């Protein structure tokens, strides 16, 4: 139940931030293109990773494989934006994925899944905080290059 509560809170905060006046953070054309292609690659990667682990009869590797793909998708965005927290998030998710492959099942998948979800929740909360500061005109948190 706790993951659903966390997701609900982030969703409500996102709805609040979106409805605030102001433009917020607008990605550059280069960053927009990287986000678009990286997200397409993430979707294809998740499809392939899930099919590979299921067809190899190792469903215990599903969460680690997903964490690995999602982590990898942040790296080109971090490079194109340039926004170094995306390197940290991508690196953390890749590390959580690798831990999930190393630690024996079912604990490896659980560690990988919960750690990845927690990392993404923290990143979402920080992104919402950053966007609300930009919408209010308080720009000292980060540059507007993203």
């Amino acid at each position: 139940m706790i993951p659903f509560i966390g997701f609900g809170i982030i969703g409500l905060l996102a709805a609040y931030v979106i409805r605030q006046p102001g433009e917020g953070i607008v990605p550059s054309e280069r960053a927009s293109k990287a986000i678009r292609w990286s997200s397409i690659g993430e979707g294809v990667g998740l499809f392939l990773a899930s099919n590979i682990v299921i067809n190899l009869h190792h469903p215990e590797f599903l969460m680690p494989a997903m964490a690995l793909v999602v982590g990898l998708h942040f790296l080109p965005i971090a490079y194109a934006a340039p926004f170094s927290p995306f390197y940290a998030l991508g690196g953390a998710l890749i590390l959580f994925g690798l831990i999930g492959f190393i630690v024996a099942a079912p604990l490896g998948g659980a560690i990988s899944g919960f750690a990845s979800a927690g990392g993404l929740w923290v990143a979402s909360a920080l992104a919402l905080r950053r966007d609300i500061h930009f919408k209010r005109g308080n720009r000292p948190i980060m540059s507007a290059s993203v």
Side-chain angles (χ1 to χ4, degrees):
M1 186 70 176
I2 292 173
F4 295 108
I5 293 170
F7 176 76
I9 291 169
I10 290 171
L12 291 173
L13 289 172
Y16 171 76
V17 171
I18 289 170
R19 287 177 172 76
Q20 296 302 303
E23 191 169 334
I25 300 170
V26 178
S28 68
E29 181 60 35
R30 179 178 181 217
S32 292
K33 188 181 286 188
I35 292 167
R36 180 175 40 254
W37 285 106
S38 185
S39 296
I40 290 168
E42 177 189 27
V44 171
L46 289 171
F47 175 78
L48 290 173
S50 63
N51 278 290
I52 289 169
V53 299
I54 297 301
N55 287 326
L56 291 176
H57 307 290
H58 286 285
E60 70 275 12
F61 292 144
L62 185 59
M63 292 303 263
M66 292 173 72
L68 204 60
V69 170
V70 174
L72 287 170
H73 122 277
F74 279 105
L75 300 182
I77 298 170
Y79 178 75
F83 187 60
S84 58
F86 282 155
Y87 282 120
L89 178 58
L93 292 173
I94 291 168
L95 177 65
F96 299 149
L98 294 175
I99 289 170
F101 283 116
I102 294 169
V103 176
L107 186 60
I111 290 171
S112 183
F114 283 113
S116 296
L120 289 168
W121 287 349
V122 169
S124 297
L126 293 173
L128 289 170
R129 179 177 175 263
R130 181 171 170 245
D131 201 41
I132 195 72
H133 277 280
F134 269 86
K135 285 188 173 194
R136 291 181 179 163
N138 305 330
R139 296 185 174 240
I141 290 182
M142 289 283 172
S143 70
S145 63
V146 176

